[in-house]
């Protein structure tokens, strides 16, 4: 029986991971007493008694937890931003490439991608990898997200009786271009410069869309929307948790609305190609709590265990 400990099991991601383990009989969950959740000695003891440890913690607490490990067999899956750009850690997005999948499979240290970064990398990594945009292309991205990704305090405000009037509207934030996912978005996608990023938190619980517009006149060689779509279809061929959606005609796009909450509660990411041969709009839709957090973490665990990667997720 595989022993699993979640450090930070009372947070949003930790609770969602626990939900995804319901009904599984191939793992044993190690629990920490409520009064000892912040006791370093007890946390260290439980970490080293487990086979796999999920870290659902702030960055500094995550780094501290890794320092507790003194048992070579302990495999860490970190859901914080602390190690996502560390080359010594596997990046937990197996669909990006066979190399990413193999590193997850064999590594003892896996960093779960950020939710926005997952959507961004899903569309930008293949563009750079396949030479459609150069590594120094000035990439811009915008995104809409449910409020669940903002943390417990924000959730309480959104769901409270005294919700401020402004919270009824999409709210742009990270306007200083210092969002914590930016280094990850750049490094993982192979860009030489940080992208510009305009995220918006909206008045619905979970789900997100990350969008990247491309003006084809700025590219070094001509490319059509159909060619870009074919590239994605080939890149993600056989992927179980990433789906490239059908290319729509101009008339179909006129009457189509892309909702951000459609995949709420579903552990899948969808890639869309919209627009035309002059202006291509690339979108990734996912659940910020699913493929963008806890679902991705459990998928990595399954791969590390050598079992069906969708176990507990579909």
């Amino acid at each position: 029986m595989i022993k699993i400990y979640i450090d930070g099991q009372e947070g949003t991601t930790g609770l969602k991971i626990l939900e995804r383990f319901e009904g599984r009989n191939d793992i044993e969950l190690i629990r920490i007493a409520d009064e000892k959740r912040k006791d370093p000695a007890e946390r260290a003891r439980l970490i080293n008694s487990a086979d796999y440890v999920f870290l659902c913690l702030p960055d500094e607490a995550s780094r501290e937890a890794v320092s507790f490990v003194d048992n070579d067999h302990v495999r860490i899956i970190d859901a914080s931003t602390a190690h996502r750009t560390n080359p010594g850690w596997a990046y937990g997005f197996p669909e990006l490439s066979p190399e990413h999948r193999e590193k997850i499979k064999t590594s003892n240290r896996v960093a779960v991608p950020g939710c926005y970064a997952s959507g961004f990398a899903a569309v930008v990594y293949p563009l750079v990898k396949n030479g459609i945009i150069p590594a120094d292309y000035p990439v811009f991205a915008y995104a809409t997200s449910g409020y669940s990704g903002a943390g417990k305090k924000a959730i309480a405000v959104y769901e409270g009786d005294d919700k401020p009037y402004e919270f009824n509207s999409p709210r742009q934030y990270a306007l200083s271009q210092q969002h914590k996912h930016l280094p990850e978005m750049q490094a993982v996608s192979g860009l030489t410069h940080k992208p510009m990023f305009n995220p918006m938190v909206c008045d619905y619980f979970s789900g997100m869309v990350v969008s990247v517009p491309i003006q084809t006149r700025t590219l070094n060689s001509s490319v059509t929307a159909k060619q870009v779509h074919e590239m994605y279809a080939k890149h993600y061929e056989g992927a179980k948790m990433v789906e490239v959606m059908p290319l729509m005609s101009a008339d179909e796009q006129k009457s189509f609305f892309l909702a951000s909450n459609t995949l709420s509660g579903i552990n899948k990411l969808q890639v869309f190609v919209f627009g035309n041969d002059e202006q291509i709009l690339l979108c990734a839709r996912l659940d910020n709590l699913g493929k963008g957090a806890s679902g991705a973490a459990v998928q990595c665990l399954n791969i590390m265990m050598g079992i069906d990667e969708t176990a507990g997720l579909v």
Side-chain angles (χ1 to χ4, degrees), residues 8 19 25 84-85 96 113 127 142 157 180 245 247 283 300 312:
E19 284 182 17
N25 56 13
R84 291 173 185 166
T85 58
L96 285 185
L127 292 177
Y142 61 92
V157 175
K180 65 180 182 179
M245 305 304 287
L247 188 64
C283 301
C300 288

Side-chain angles (χ1 to χ4, degrees), residues 187-203:
V188 172
S189 300
L191 299 172
T192 56
H193 303 286
K194 288 181 182 179
M196 288 195 69
F197 181 46
N198 181 206
M200 289 164 268
V201 60
C202 308
D203 188 17

Side-chain angles (χ1 to χ4, degrees), residues 131-300:
I132 292 176
I133 65 171
D136 63 353
Y137 189 81
V139 177
F140 167 73
Y142 61 92
T144 53
S145 175
Y147 60 76
S148 58
K152 282 188 173 182
K153 291 183 179 179
I155 292 173
V157 175
Y158 270 101
E159 298 182 349
D161 294 333
D162 299 321
K163 181 175 69 174
Y165 176 74
E166 292 82 1
F167 280 54
N168 294 308
S169 165
R171 294 185 300 139
Q172 301 181 48
Y173 68 106
L175 300 176
S176 66
Q177 292 302 301
Q178 298 295 317
H179 192 280
K180 65 180 182 179
H181 288 181
L182 279 171
E184 174 187 358
M185 292 158 73
Q186 176 190 349
V188 172
S189 300
L191 299 172
T192 56
H193 303 286
K194 288 181 182 179
M196 288 195 69
F197 181 46
N198 181 206
M200 289 164 268
V201 60
C202 308
D203 188 17
Y204 64 94
F205 184 70
S206 70
M208 64 170 38
V209 170
V210 181
S211 302
V212 177
I214 300 291
Q215 300 267 5
T216 59
R217 60 180 171 78
T218 64
L219 302 178
N220 296 329
S221 58
S222 62
V223 66
T224 67
K226 184 174 185 293
Q227 289 171 330
V228 172
H229 184 268
E230 289 172 348
M231 177 275 294
Y232 282 124
K234 182 177 180 181
H235 188 89
Y236 290 116
E237 185 177 7
K240 295 182 178 180
M241 309 301 284
V242 176
E243 181 181 9
V244 180
M245 305 304 287
L247 188 64
M248 296 182 184
S249 68
D251 286 341
E252 288 174 323
Q253 291 185 55
K254 285 180 182 178
S255 59
F256 181 75
F257 288 80
L258 184 63
S260 299
N261 62 350
T262 306
L263 292 182
S264 180
I266 299 173
N267 290 287
K268 182 176 283 190
L269 184 151
Q270 296 172 329
V271 174
F272 295 84
V273 178
F274 296 117
N276 51 62
D277 292 347
E278 295 179 355
Q279 296 176 314
I280 301 175
L281 179 62
L282 307 168
C283 301
R285 178 164 63 184
L286 65 155
D287 182 1
N288 54 293
L289 298 181
K291 183 61 173 163
S294 60
V298 173
Q299 183 183 5
C300 288

Side-chain angles (χ1 to χ4, degrees), residues 23-156:
R24 288 187 61 164
N25 56 13
D26 58 339
I27 60 174
E28 176 187 342
L29 286 171
I30 299 172
R31 303 276 190 164
I32 189 169
D34 286 344
E35 66 273 14
K36 292 191 174 183
R37 284 194 295 115
K38 296 185 179 181
D39 182 336
E42 180 66 1
R43 289 170 56 216
R45 185 183 73 82
L46 295 180
I47 285 171
N48 286 290
S49 68
D51 300 299
Y52 293 88
V53 175
F54 289 90
L55 303 181
C56 305
L57 304 162
D59 288 1
E60 287 306 314
S62 175
R63 294 187 184 96
E64 177 189 49
V66 173
S67 73
F68 292 157
V69 178
D70 60 17
N71 191 328
D72 290 341
H73 83 270
V74 177
R75 306 182 77 182
I76 303 291
I77 302 170
D78 185 8
S80 79
T81 65
H83 302 101
R84 291 173 185 166
T85 58
N86 186 332
W89 286 62
Y91 189 69
F93 197 148
E95 294 89 354
L96 285 185
S97 73
E99 293 77 18
H100 282 86
R101 179 177 293 276
E102 184 61 24
K103 192 169 183 179
I104 294 168
K105 183 178 180 180
T106 59
S107 179
N108 281 343
R109 301 289 182 268
V110 175
V112 179
C115 53
Y116 286 127
S118 294
F120 183 87
V123 296
V124 177
Y125 177 90
L127 292 177
V128 177
K129 181 77 171 179
N130 290 279
I132 292 176
I133 65 171
D136 63 353
Y137 189 81
V139 177
F140 167 73
Y142 61 92
T144 53
S145 175
Y147 60 76
S148 58
K152 282 188 173 182
K153 291 183 179 179
I155 292 173

